[in-house]
Amino acid sequence: MHAVDYIFVVGWIAFWVYWFAASVRAKTATRGRAGNFVGYRVAVVILVLILVRAGIFRGQASVDNPWLQGIGTALFFSGLALAIWARVCLGRNWGMPMSEKADPELVTNGPYAKIRHPIYSGIILAMVGTMLAVEWYWLFLVVLIGAYFIYSAVIEERNMTRLFPTTYPPYKQKTKMLVPFIF
């Protein structure tokens, strides 16, 4: 394992420890579809862990280019920072993808002023950074989780339009779904 690999392992572990610890203070979910997909998410994670543990990707495309490692590391930390910043701005309104909270609020400050789903954007950016700096097999996860996040964003936007019929449509028009100024 290279030194840069340890940076990413520690970074991802610290991120997820924070993420789960912060979820304790979230509002109670009133309804949502997230529970329907828990089994699929667990199955995907287990499958990826088995493939990695079996060494399927080992030695296939290890990154040894210091430029790619530097760019990837910068993207990784930028993505985690964006996701954490968005999570802090959401406060107790955070929830699992496609869930609804009791007494929901429309948050439009911080990164939400430009991006409607900055947590998803940040996690995808961090995964792209990991792919560039560590191993190309992360591309598989970027595509898989990126597709899931886009699906979740579409469902969440339907829910937000229903919950905030007068304020969400104008907010949606002035922001982008995942990438500022583009998408």
Side-chain angles (χ1 to χ4, degrees):
M1 218 175 188
H2 296 100
V4 75
D5 296 334
Y6 289 108
I7 292 170
F8 284 86
V9 167
V10 170
W12 278 115
I13 290 171
F15 174 76
W16 289 113
V17 165
Y18 161 75
W19 208 255
F20 291 120
S23 69
V24 173
R25 298 179 349 127
K27 292 178 182 177
T28 305
T30 57
R31 71 179 228 193
R33 298 185 189 189
N36 298 341
F37 295 102
V38 170
Y40 294 118
R41 287 185 286 207
V42 170
V44 167
V45 169
I46 290 171
L47 175 65
V48 169
L49 290 174
I50 289 170
L51 291 174
V52 169
R53 183 76 175 137
I56 295 287
F57 306 110
R58 191 170 295 138
Q60 298 292 320
S62 183
V63 177
D64 287 327
N65 183 324
W67 285 100
L68 282 178
Q69 289 177 341
I71 292 168
T73 302
L75 291 175
F76 171 72
F77 284 114
S78 297
L80 293 186
L82 176 60
I84 291 169
W85 181 29
R87 176 78 179 261
V88 168
C89 289
L90 271 183
R92 296 190 62 227
N93 290 297
W94 176 84
M96 290 298 292
M98 300 177 282
S99 64
E100 288 183 27
K101 294 297 183 178
D103 301 319
E105 300 169 40
L106 179 59
V107 176
T108 60
N109 62 323
Y112 291 92
K114 298 285 182 202
I115 313 169
R116 293 190 302 274
H117 303 279
I119 291 174
Y120 297 162
S121 301
I123 293 173
I124 291 169
L125 185 61
M127 290 173 31
V128 167
T130 304
M131 177 196 72
L132 288 175
V134 179
E135 290 276 344
W136 291 99
Y137 68 78
W138 276 80
L139 179 60
F140 171 74
L141 287 176
V142 171
V143 170
L144 187 68
I145 292 174
Y148 172 73
F149 282 164
I150 290 171
Y151 172 76
S152 296
V154 168
I155 299 299
E156 288 172 9
E157 290 191 359
R158 284 187 205 146
N159 291 340
M160 297 299 278
T161 301
R162 183 180 45 77
L163 291 169
F164 304 102
T166 57
T167 53
Y168 195 74
Y171 168 70
K172 188 175 174 180
Q173 285 181 331
K174 71 176 190 164
T175 58
K176 297 295 182 184
M177 183 185 280
L178 294 169
V179 182
F181 313 110
I182 299 171
F183 172 71

